[in-house]
Amino acid sequence: MPPKPSLVRPGRGPLRAVALTRHAAAKRQQVCAICSMSGAGPPRRATTRNSAPMRPSLPDRRHTLSTAPAANVRAELEQALLQLQSQAPRLLNLARLQLALQGLRQAPGEETVRVALLGLAGGSGAGQTAKRLLRAILSDPLQDHHAWETQLDSYDLSKPLVVKVSAGPHLDETSIDVARENPIQRLHISSPDYDALGLEFLLVDVDPSALAAGQASIQHLENAALVPSVATRSADGRVSQTPAPVHHALIVADGLMGAVGLASLPVSESGGAITAAVDMKGLAGEELHAPFHVIDVAKAEEGVRLFRDGPQNAMQYERLWFASKVPALTAWLKAGLRTEDAATKPAVKQLLASLLQNAQSAIRTEESAIVAKTLASTTPLDDAAGLHAGLAVWARQAHGELRDELDLAFTGRRWRKLGWWKLFWRVDDVGMLTSDILSQRFLPTAERELVYQAGRIAALRGSAPQYPQPVSELPDSPAVARPAAAALPKWPGHIAFTRRYLQDETVPALQALAQRLLVQSLGTSSVAATLAGLLYASSFAAGVYEAGAVAALGVVYSLGRMQKKWESARRFWEGDVREEGRKAVRAVEESVSQALMAQESVSPAQVEELQQAKELVSRAEDLLSRLK
């Protein structure tokens, strides 16, 4: 019998989630205001749509991942985004897409990262606080006061200001200037901590109502904070609002009223792309458990001033600087800029991930609208809405069941029976115990509820739709081959298919690995014991202690190796089961959505266009996961 593959997780992991897609209202194409100023892999495996395909054995699965060079991945990702923009521009925020494409066209690790400092306008003094905070962050306490600091203090934020931080040629007081003829002013400065990071700041006042606007959604906050509008003047003298996209945004407020305004914003849901700070003198050291940073800009400024007066004030500078809580903001700022050699900056990756996630959401929204419209044309409106809502409820409950049931399974008595030190007498029970876990804990309730939902859809429509089914990627797979169209089940079979895949492909591999590790451990221990006996009986007259040490060393080495490899295999199998379960649930949801959209009242071209957009987003996500 040929040996089974080893269950060792590769460096990146062979599992990819089946991407779900979403949709939103289209936006007109816009030009980035800052860009207008500065002038500035192998093919994927073919799988059936909406399927949770049978995977090959683990060593083969590692080779399915692309090993394309980083430059090729970067170029392919750019082409995928351009193709998505060409085919479905309504799915993307085109201003943010322009900024993302600009980053992909730059060398890895040398991308320009833009950060917006948004001072809340309205008489609270937040605009002035934002300028003071920026000066405190960029000031070098080891050097005297620079001319740019005075220019920044006196600048009127009625016009946005772009601050570019770079070393370049040596900047003296005469070479620093803020142009007055352009709608967006620019200021070039040098700061030792940030010169080599490719950083630009957009300093602008924003209306607090523009951030909230009666909505507490993260989508609205991202559109307002990460794509602020600035006034630009055209050639004929007309002034219009133009988006100025940025990678990150720091919202700055002042005093108690500013804190009240920020408390209602879902800043924590932005994944670190947006953060907020409130200047509250004397409270920077207090633990307020607020969704924003409480800082004291005056302490930071005083610390810089004292250090410039003389190095004897170094201790006072350090105490005031850390008491101001400004270092928390500089750490957040540098987290998006620091990267390994020749690797894409985290801020650029985060922007790309946000774009694709929003595209998924937009596609999902459009799918929901198509399904609701289709069902409303064939069934009563209340029933159509109920079917769509029932599918969403089923998916939410299925994900919850998968998490809870597998948590119980992998912390339960049966899974503990497979500890590495119990393999000596339970090695033959590995297949039985893991198969029992899959049979009893792998989405049993979700599968029954799916049958109920399929029956409800068939009852309202008068006939059962044909659901896209999963197929195996392996020509000689032990799983059941794809049935004929007449024999297709009347509900999506992804859950049962995935369960069979785990039982037929991964359980035997885990069983074989357990047996092989046990044999290797016993073999190594036996060799060590034999060697110890030979040493003891040899003419070298090795003592019993020396011989015992050799035997003990062999036993400890063999057991340690067995423990390390077996526990690693168990963790991998546990993650494999969870991931395949998530993919099965998401594939079922997509299969039902496609079946509901496959109606005569829906334009085939519209469905095909949406499917192509989904494939492009999925391909872009795959490329992003491999982007260095």
Side-chain angles (χ1 to χ4, degrees), residues 172-492:
D172 54 29
E173 295 186 5
T174 59
S175 65
I176 301 177
D177 185 29
V178 178
R180 295 296 179 182
E181 66 274 7
N182 295 322
I184 301 180
Q185 313 301 330
R186 298 183 69 87
L187 177 63
H188 293 263
I189 71 170
S190 176
S191 177
D193 287 342
Y194 300 94
D195 280 345
L197 300 181
L199 182 61
E200 287 185 359
F201 289 95
L202 172 63
L203 189 60
V204 61
D205 272 348
V206 295
D207 191 348
S209 61
L211 297 178
Q215 304 180 34
S217 65
I218 183 60
Q219 291 82 3
H220 176 81
L221 179 61
E222 286 182 347
N223 291 334
L226 297 178
V227 193
S229 296
V230 298
T232 56
R233 184 179 294 106
S234 60
D236 56 2
R238 291 185 297 179
V239 177
S240 60
Q241 295 294 322
T242 305
V246 296
H247 295 87
H248 287 171
L250 170 59
I251 306 172
V252 181
D254 187 75
L256 182 60
M257 295 306 297
V260 172
L262 290 180
S264 61
L265 300 180
V267 174
S268 60
E269 301 177 21
S270 66
I274 305 174
T275 191
V278 179
D279 183 27
M280 301 183 73
K281 190 172 182 179
L283 293 179
E286 302 293 333
E287 294 293 338
L288 300 182
H289 303 288
F292 47 77
H293 297 278
V294 179
I295 61 175
D296 191 338
V297 181
K299 286 185 178 180
E301 293 175 326
E302 179 65 14
V304 173
R305 185 191 64 79
L306 287 175
F307 199 96
R308 285 174 171 174
D309 287 344
Q312 69 275 9
N313 298 322
M315 295 298 294
Q316 288 182 281
Y317 160 76
E318 184 176 359
R319 179 181 59 82
L320 289 171
W321 179 253
F322 285 99
S324 68
K325 300 301 180 181
V326 173
L329 299 180
T330 60
W332 165 81
L333 185 62
K334 292 180 179 179
L337 303 172
R338 301 288 189 187
T339 182
E340 299 176 359
D341 294 338
T344 305
K345 291 183 178 179
V348 177
K349 284 188 173 182
Q350 188 174 23
L351 172 60
L352 291 166
S354 177
L355 270 175
L356 296 177
Q357 182 179 0
N358 291 340
Q360 286 183 343
S361 177
I363 295 176
R364 185 75 174 274
T365 302
E366 186 168 290
E367 281 184 336
S368 301
I370 293 176
V371 170
K373 180 180 178 181
T374 300
L375 292 178
S377 63
T378 57
T379 62
L381 184 59
D382 293 342
D383 292 336
L387 289 179
H388 183 64
L391 177 60
V393 170
W394 176 89
R396 183 170 62 252
Q397 292 177 347
H399 282 291
E401 180 193 1
L402 179 70
R403 181 191 64 243
D404 297 339
E405 291 295 324
L406 292 184
D407 284 345
L408 290 174
F410 292 125
T411 57
R413 182 173 56 87
R414 291 187 177 183
W415 189 239
R416 290 198 300 270
K417 288 181 179 180
L418 299 181
W420 70 272
W421 56 277
K422 296 182 179 181
L423 286 182
F424 291 97
W425 61 89
R426 291 194 182 276
V427 66
D428 293 330
D429 296 337
V430 172
M432 179 190 67
L433 293 175
T434 50
S435 295
D436 286 346
I437 289 176
L438 293 174
S439 299
Q440 300 178 17
R441 298 292 186 180
F442 192 80
L443 298 171
T445 304
E447 192 170 17
R448 291 193 297 269
E449 290 294 329
L450 177 61
V451 176
Y452 167 76
Q453 290 292 338
R456 186 178 175 210
I457 293 173
L460 289 175
R461 290 189 51 196
S463 63
Q466 288 191 355
Y467 297 97
Q469 301 292 338
V471 294
S472 173
E473 292 180 342
L474 299 177
D476 300 327
S477 172
V480 179
R482 186 178 185 182
L488 287 175
K490 297 181 180 180
W491 58 83

Side-chain angles (χ1 to χ4, degrees), residues 18 47-53 55 468-471 494 583 587 590-591:
V18 176
T47 60
T48 298
R49 294 172 184 171
N50 310 318
S51 65
R55 303 292 185 188
Q469 301 292 338
V471 294
H494 300 79
K583 291 164 61 177
E590 189 173 355
S591 176

Side-chain angles (χ1 to χ4, degrees), residues 536-598:
Y536 182 73
S538 68
S539 58
F540 293 102
V544 65
Y545 294 107
E546 290 82 355
V550 172
L553 179 61
V555 171
V556 170
Y557 170 76
S558 63
L559 292 180
R561 181 174 178 272
M562 175 182 174
Q563 178 186 9
K564 181 180 179 181
K565 290 199 170 185
W566 178 246
E567 293 302 327
S568 176
R570 288 215 310 165
R571 287 192 299 270
F572 173 77
W573 191 78
E574 178 181 345
D576 201 4
V577 172
R578 292 181 186 274
E579 181 65 18
E580 294 295 336
R582 284 192 292 267
K583 291 164 61 177
V585 173
R586 298 162 86 177
V588 165
E589 188 178 9
E590 189 173 355
S591 176
V592 174
S593 297
Q594 282 201 11
L596 292 177
M597 286 192 298

